[in-house]
């Protein structure tokens, strides 16, 4: 019997943890299976969880002097957990990585407790490191249009269909707010020629309906018309030069080349186009709940960060243009009197 994606992911991830004791290994397999079926995590996310747990267990092995068993995990103290985090911090890893490692370990600890295999209370007794909150960095409207225009790369020695293909993918990222993985997982059946909306499968295999505006439909139609490979209904819509699935790295490299030509910052990545989709909708009066649905965010708080981006842009515009903003380049800036109320 063929293995499911979850089983393949669990086996591949368990290979990263081959040094653990048999009882811990069995618990890890049960934990990953639970994540796959209860939380519907993708195989890649399962492997990421397993990699993070592997780092924690390897550091615990160094700290304890032996590979920890279930009893050792139950006997951990907060000092042991802090020692593991401190060792990773000494390696120069960022606070966000430490938070991720602790989250994977806590998830595994909860699984052990649910299954009656022990309670690792030390994991919850340690406070996660503070992570500086960074705002998304969307590209401007003009930059997004240029990135999705095949003419921007007219000087490159590449086949026309390749330039049109990349432009169609980028148009989906900006015009429909798709993640690059979502765009590249589409099949021709998913995108009928006359479709004004499509169903996208996102994180956790959750589906959502996304409208296709006319420029996006035109970009996809142009690509399909000149693609030299046969686009069967079930295969990938976007193909590599040899006819296989298009790699995300190819799209990333295309954007890198264009941002150099356009003078854009390094933050101008394919994912920045998804940020731009949300930010530009919000700046034009888009309703936050609708934007949440379009992006496929499980939590509204994830979408609300774009309200901060929009507010930041508004304040920057105010400071540069308002006569009382105090901006040094404003021609009507006046000195503020010490008696003026704040």
């Amino acid at each position: 019997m063929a293995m499911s994606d979850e089983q393949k992911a669990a086996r591949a991830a368990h290979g990263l943890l081959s040094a653990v004791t048999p009882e811990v290994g069995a618990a890890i397999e049960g934990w990953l299976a639970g994540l796959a079926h209860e939380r519907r995590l993708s195989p890649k996310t399962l492997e990421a969880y397993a990699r993070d747990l592997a780092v924690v267990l390897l550091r615990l092995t160094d700290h304890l002097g032996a590979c920890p068993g279930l009893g050792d995990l139950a006997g951990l103290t907060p000092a042991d957990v802090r020692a593991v985090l401190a060792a990773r911090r000494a390696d120069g890893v960022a606070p966000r990585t430490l938070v991720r490692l602790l989250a994977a370990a806590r998830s595994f600890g909860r699984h052990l407790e649910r299954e009656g295999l022990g309670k690792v209370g030390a994991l919850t007794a340690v406070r996660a490191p503070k992570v500086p909150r960074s705002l998304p960095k969307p590209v401007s409207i003009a930059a997004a249009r240029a990135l999705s225009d095949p003419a921007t790369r007219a000087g490159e020695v590449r086949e026309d269909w390749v330039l049109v293909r990349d432009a169609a993918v980028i148009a989906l990222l900006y015009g429909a707010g798709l993640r690059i993985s979502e765009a590249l997982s589409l099949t021709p059946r998913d995108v009928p020629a006359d479709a004004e909306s499509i169903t996208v499968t996102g994180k956790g295999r959750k589906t959502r309906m996304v409208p296709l505006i006319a420029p996006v439909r035109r970009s996809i139609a142009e690509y399909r018309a000149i693609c030299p490979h046969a686009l069967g209904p079930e295969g990938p819509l976007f193909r590599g030069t040899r006819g296989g699935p298009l790699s995300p790295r190819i799209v990333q490299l295309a954007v890198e080349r264009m941002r150099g030509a356009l003078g854009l910052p390094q933050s101008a990545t394919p994912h920045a186009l998804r940020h731009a989709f949300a930010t530009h909708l919000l700046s034009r009066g888009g309703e936050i709940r609708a934007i949440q649905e379009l992006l496929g965010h499980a939590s509204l708080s994830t979408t609300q960060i774009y309200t901060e981006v929009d507010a930041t842009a508004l304040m920057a515009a105010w400071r540069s243009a308002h006569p009382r903003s105090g901006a040094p380049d404003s021609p009507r800036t006046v000195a503020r009197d010490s008696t003026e109320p704040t």
Side-chain angles (χ1 to χ4, degrees):
M1 181 182 295
M3 288 190 297
S4 67
D5 287 344
E6 293 84 357
Q7 290 172 323
K8 291 178 182 177
R11 177 168 292 186
H14 186 256
L16 299 170
L17 302 166
S18 57
V20 301
T21 64
E23 58 181 4
V24 172
I28 290 170
E29 287 191 337
W31 170 60
L32 293 172
L35 291 176
H37 292 99
E38 295 170 17
R39 294 185 53 188
R40 300 171 63 191
L41 299 182
S42 71
K44 289 185 177 180
T45 303
L46 291 176
E47 290 190 33
Y49 265 89
R51 281 194 298 270
D52 289 339
L53 182 61
V55 171
V56 173
L57 293 179
L58 287 172
R59 286 296 181 180
L60 275 175
T61 299
D62 294 339
H63 175 68
L64 299 174
C67 188
L70 292 178
D72 299 310
L73 294 177
L76 290 177
T77 66
D80 295 324
V81 179
R82 292 191 189 98
V84 169
L85 297 178
R88 292 300 292 148
R89 189 181 294 112
D91 293 337
V93 303
R96 192 178 300 276
T97 302
L98 297 178
V99 171
R100 199 184 66 226
L101 295 177
L102 188 56
R106 285 174 173 171
S107 175
F108 182 56
R110 289 192 295 271
H111 170 77
L112 294 180
E113 185 174 356
R114 285 195 304 268
E115 297 299 314
L117 299 174
K119 184 175 181 180
V120 192
L123 293 172
T124 56
V126 174
R127 182 178 298 177
K130 291 185 177 180
V131 178
R133 184 167 183 173
S134 59
L135 295 178
K137 298 177 176 62
V139 299
S140 67
I141 294 176
R145 287 175 174 170
L147 289 170
S148 57
D149 185 352
T152 302
R153 301 171 63 193
E156 294 187 25
V157 184
R158 278 178 169 73
E159 296 178 79
D160 288 344
W161 81 270
V162 171
L163 302 182
V164 172
R165 175 203 65 195
D166 294 349
V169 175
I170 292 170
L172 277 167
L173 307 185
Y174 177 59
L178 269 57
R179 301 177 179 92
I180 189 170
S181 59
E182 294 170 345
L184 297 187
S185 67
L186 292 173
T187 68
R189 186 189 299 277
D190 295 328
V191 192
D194 57 349
E196 295 189 357
S197 64
I198 58 174
T199 299
V200 176
T201 302
K203 289 185 176 180
R205 300 180 200 164
K206 294 180 180 177
T207 60
R208 67 185 189 274
M209 189 75 72
V210 177
L212 292 184
I213 58 177
V216 175
R217 295 199 301 271
R218 287 196 296 269
S219 292
I220 296 174
E222 185 177 358
Y223 157 69
R224 296 174 89 153
I226 65 173
C227 178
H229 304 290
L231 299 177
E234 300 300 336
L237 172 61
F238 296 107
R239 304 297 184 91
T241 54
R242 296 183 179 180
L246 178 60
S247 166
R249 185 58 185 152
I250 298 299
V251 182
Q252 292 166 351
L253 288 172
V255 173
E256 286 178 17
R257 285 190 290 267
M258 283 190 285
R259 78 181 179 214
L262 296 170
L264 300 176
Q266 290 189 348
S267 59
T269 63
H271 202 67
L273 290 157
R274 175 172 156 89
H275 293 324
F277 167 83
T279 306
H280 298 164
L281 276 180
L282 190 64
S283 67
R284 280 162 170 72
E287 204 274 324
I288 190 72
R289 285 285 185 184
I291 295 173
Q292 176 193 1
E293 292 293 328
L294 291 172
L295 291 173
H297 287 162
S299 171
L300 182 63
S301 62
T302 307
T303 314
Q304 285 175 328
I305 194 171
Y306 293 108
T307 63
E308 298 183 33
V309 176
D310 194 45
T312 301
L314 288 173
M315 288 302 295
W318 177 81
R319 289 191 183 98
S320 65
H322 196 281
R324 300 303 298 276
S325 68
D329 56 347
S330 177
R332 295 184 59 189
T333 298
V334 295
R336 181 170 178 170
D337 186 86
S338 60
T339 61
E340 184 180 344
T342 59

